[in-house]
Amino acid sequence: MRQRKRILFVVNPISGGKKKTAFNKQVLEVLDLEKFDPTFKITDHPNHAYELGKSAVVEGYDAVVAVGGDGTINEVGSAIMGTDMPLGIIPEGSGNGLALYLGIPLNESAALRRINRFETVDVDTGEINGRNFFNIAGLGFDASVSDHFATENIRGPVGYLRSIMNVLSDFKPSTYTLVIDGKEYKKEAFMISVANSPQYGNNAYIAPQASITDGILDVCIVHKFPLYLLPKMVFHLFTKSADQSEYVEILPGKNIKIIRDEKGPVHVDGEPVEMGKELEIAIKHKSLKIIC
């Protein structure tokens, strides 16, 4: 009998506000157990998924599967990027931006069947002040929303919408200096998103032309706009037409520096991180293998 591939499933039990008590049973029903030997580990503290990913590399697993949202994917991916070990994704988050872009089904059984195929693609990753991101990093309004959402007791889209409305009431645009591949810009912006893939999640596309394999980051600058146009801006997000808005400017780059007036939150794949006034951002071309 041929040797089975050892797969570690790293399960975030609280991501997306979904209970995962039956997940292990479902894996044993759907995963091809003639080809794969699954192990399950549950995260129970911040950065635990990263630690488990690092251990999986040392222990010689053939793949690690992140069962959670973009934050869990970020931790596991950061642990194994630069190795030959592929990352599998079972999307269980609030937004699932990376999984949606890669065409990974939100249905657990369908996503597990993708693992059975074990087909991989090499993708780009981004880095901001030493922190990896695979989907989008941002500052300004969306970072403030992520910061608020982290304290919200309602998860999922409803909680995220509540955070948007709370932050929107008194949010003010800021002035930023950007240096993109050596060229300097001065911009007043409502928010700046640095996109490796096109969407935040829930099919809200901030950078419709972004690609996770082209070696380029899309710097999406959302300029100050009248509040009465908010429904139109949201319409652009959900119709993949943000780049057609007169209030959105997208500049491609590989090496990016952003200078702001004061330190504050930055969202890294949806997770808020406190960072300083100067942000150094770069692309790492095809630095991670993903099963899709």
Side-chain angles (χ1 to χ4, degrees):
M1 182 178 175
R2 63 185 176 184
Q3 188 172 4
R4 296 185 296 167
K5 292 184 183 295
R6 296 173 62 224
I7 297 183
L8 175 63
F9 287 85
V10 175
V11 184
N12 181 339
I14 61 171
S15 62
K18 304 171 186 174
K19 291 184 178 180
K20 304 174 185 69
T21 50
F23 178 74
N24 293 18
K25 181 174 180 288
Q26 189 166 21
V27 170
L28 297 177
E29 290 173 352
V30 178
L31 195 69
D32 186 343
L33 298 180
E34 291 187 2
K35 292 167 60 178
F36 303 107
D37 177 15
T39 300
F40 305 92
K41 294 188 179 178
I42 309 296
T43 62
D44 61 15
H45 59 264
N47 217 40
H48 195 190
Y50 176 83
E51 296 164 6
L52 292 173
K54 280 293 185 188
S55 296
V57 174
V58 173
E59 294 167 20
Y61 279 87
D62 294 293
V64 184
V65 178
V67 185
D70 286 332
T72 307
I73 293 165
N74 182 289
E75 286 192 30
V76 177
S78 294
I80 66 173
M81 60 182 287
T83 74
D84 286 330
M85 180 180 290
L87 169 69
I89 297 172
I90 307 296
E92 299 278 8
S94 299
N96 303 306
L98 187 60
L100 285 168
Y101 170 66
L102 291 170
I104 296 171
L106 300 187
N107 175 275
E108 286 180 352
S109 293
L112 285 165
R113 286 193 286 271
R114 291 291 183 97
I115 304 296
N116 282 337
R117 296 190 332 194
F118 213 76
E119 296 175 356
T120 65
V121 60
D122 293 332
V123 305
D124 303 335
T125 63
E127 183 181 78
I128 178 165
N129 282 15
R131 293 286 296 257
N132 297 309
F133 66 96
F134 307 133
N135 199 42
I136 294 175
L139 56 157
F141 178 74
D142 57 351
S144 295
V145 170
S146 291
D147 198 36
H148 187 281
F149 184 58
T151 65
E152 178 64 65
N153 57 10
I154 298 176
R155 307 306 292 171
V158 173
Y160 199 76
L161 182 60
R162 281 197 359 172
S163 294
I164 288 173
M165 299 314 296
N166 278 313
V167 172
L168 189 62
S169 59
D170 58 359
F171 187 81
K172 300 289 189 295
S174 299
T175 300
Y176 301 91
T177 299
L178 297 92
V179 182
I180 302 175
D181 293 340
K183 187 172 181 179
E184 186 172 317
Y185 305 85
K186 198 90 166 179
K187 303 287 183 181
E188 185 182 34
F190 184 69
M191 67 183 196
I192 298 176
S193 295
V194 182
N196 186 36
S197 87
Q199 65 160 293
Y200 291 119
N202 296 310
N203 292 312
Y205 285 75
I206 185 62
Q209 307 304 320
S211 166
I212 205 166
T213 58
D214 64 357
I216 299 288
L217 293 167
D218 284 25
V219 183
C220 309
I221 303 160
V222 179
H223 297 287
K224 182 179 179 180
F225 60 88
L227 198 56
Y228 70 84
L229 287 179
L230 181 61
K232 185 177 181 181
M233 299 297 287
V234 172
F235 173 80
H236 279 304
L237 283 177
F238 286 97
T239 57
K240 302 184 184 180
S241 59
D243 53 346
Q244 297 173 29
S245 169
E246 62 185 297
Y247 297 102
V248 176
E249 182 178 6
I250 299 180
L251 302 171
K254 294 183 177 181
N255 292 287
I256 300 143
K257 184 174 186 176
I258 301 176
I259 303 168
R260 52 187 176 172
D261 293 335
E262 55 188 31
K263 65 181 183 180
V266 172
H267 84 79
V268 181
D269 287 342
E271 300 294 321
V273 180
E274 195 73 16
M275 291 189 180
K277 295 181 181 180
E278 295 193 6
L279 305 171
E280 299 278 355
I281 307 162
I283 188 81
K284 297 177 181 178
H285 189 42
K286 295 192 175 180
S287 53
L288 177 68
K289 290 182 182 297
I290 295 184
I291 300 169
C292 62

